[in-house]
Amino acid sequence: MKATEGTSYTNSYFAQRYNGSYNVGMIRGAYHFALPNGAGGSAQADYFVGHGGGWSRDGRTLPGALDIEYNPYGATCYGLSQASMRSWISAFLNRYHALTGRWAVIYTTTDWWTTCTGN
């Protein structure tokens, strides 16, 4: 379920859906929609974890996911170079790991990854 986007958006239905699925016995997971042209990767990881994107050792909560794809609001790769994009992603992943003890999953397409990170 989408939890956050950037460092200013939280899904108003997130808690209801996230906790509701858990309460009926489903495995649950949260994702963060990245806006790499905004705040840094570490700041967005902090925001994500602080607004529902954490992980718990309960056997029914997946580690968080980083949804990073073509920019729906403008420049294809958010105006970042491939090296800058790789640095942004690394900062997000490393901070998420430091906060939760788990690595976030990356959700993207092969085309975006090739174009925006250079593989």
Side-chain angles (χ1 to χ4, degrees):
M1 286 151 240
K2 183 176 185 176
T4 54
E5 181 173 319
T7 56
S8 61
Y9 172 82
T10 56
N11 180 350
S12 60
Y13 297 103
F14 175 76
Q16 174 191 4
R17 293 173 180 166
Y18 190 73
N19 295 324
S21 62
Y22 186 84
N23 290 337
V24 297
M26 295 175 69
I27 294 173
R28 65 183 177 176
Y31 76 89
H32 173 77
F33 188 83
L35 295 178
N37 59 340
S42 294
Q44 290 193 41
D46 286 341
Y47 189 77
F48 178 46
V49 170
H51 294 87
W55 176 80
S56 59
R57 188 179 297 272
D58 59 13
R60 292 187 11 224
T61 303
L62 299 169
L66 174 63
D67 180 359
I68 189 158
E69 54 192 81
Y70 287 115
N71 184 357
Y73 309 115
T76 298
C77 298
Y78 299 86
L80 274 64
S81 68
Q82 291 176 337
S84 293
M85 185 64 76
R86 290 190 305 268
S87 293
W88 190 97
I89 292 167
S90 291
F92 182 97
L93 296 175
N94 289 329
R95 181 65 177 158
Y96 186 85
H97 185 263
L99 293 170
T100 67
R102 291 288 184 242
W103 293 104
V105 173
I106 299 173
Y107 174 84
T108 192
T109 66
T110 302
D111 186 63
W112 183 90
W113 190 261
T114 302
T115 301
C116 296
T117 72
N119 277 331

